[in-house]
Amino acid sequence: MNRVTLILTLGTLLVGAGQAQTVTGQAATGQTGMKHMQTPPAVAPEALPASPSVRALKLTQGWVSAAPPGAEELSAYLVLGNPGRAAVTLIGVSSPVSGQATLMTTTKDAAGRGSMTMASAMNIAAGGSLRILPGQAHVMLRSLKRQPQTGEQVALTLRFADGSARTFSVPVKKW
C-alpha cells in the first residue's frame, strides 16, 4: 500500500467514525483529492414556525416583575387563552434578557409554607387557558444578561411540544 492510498484509507476511516474534521490527500497524478471533508457539526434543532394551534393562542395578560438593581433573577407571568379545538402543551421558555428560563409551579403545604417546583410541561386545554400567575406558577428568568427597566418590553419565546415556538412581548412592571 503506498503512502497516498494509506492516507486516503485512514482519512476515510476517521471521517466514517466521525472523528476527523479535515482530511486532505493528493492522488498519484498530483490532483488534490478529499479536500476538506468535514463531519457536520452537532446542531440543536431549530423551532418550527408556529403551528396553527400555537398561532391561535391569545395572550390576555403578561408581565415581568421589576426587581431591585443587582437582582439575578426575575419572574414573568402570563395568561394564555386557547380558543382552538386542540390542547397545546408549553414545554419551555427563553428570553434574550436571561441565560436561562424555567417554568415553575408554586405549591403550599398544610402549614401554608410555599415551595417551587420546576415544571417540564404545562397544558393549555382546548377552549381553556393557562394561568401563570403569582402564587400559582411563574417563569423564572435566571442568569440575567442585563437588568430590564420598568416600562420596557421583554420578549418571551414560548416553545411547544409540537416543535413550534411563538414570541410574545410583555412589559416590565412593579406589582
Side-chain angles (χ1 to χ4, degrees), residues 149-160:
Q149 302 301 308
T150 302
E152 179 182 343
Q153 294 287 314
V154 172
L156 299 174
T157 300
L158 309 182
R159 300 202 178 279
F160 298 90

Side-chain angles (χ1 to χ4, degrees), residues 45-57 82 86-92 120-124 157-166:
E46 302 246 347
L48 299 173
S51 65
S53 297
V54 169
R55 277 195 312 270
L57 295 175
N82 181 2
V88 176
T89 303
L90 176 64
I91 61 167
S120 59
M122 294 181 172
N123 194 48
I124 311 169
T157 300
L158 309 182
R159 300 202 178 279
F160 298 90
D162 67 359
S164 64
R166 183 155 172 215

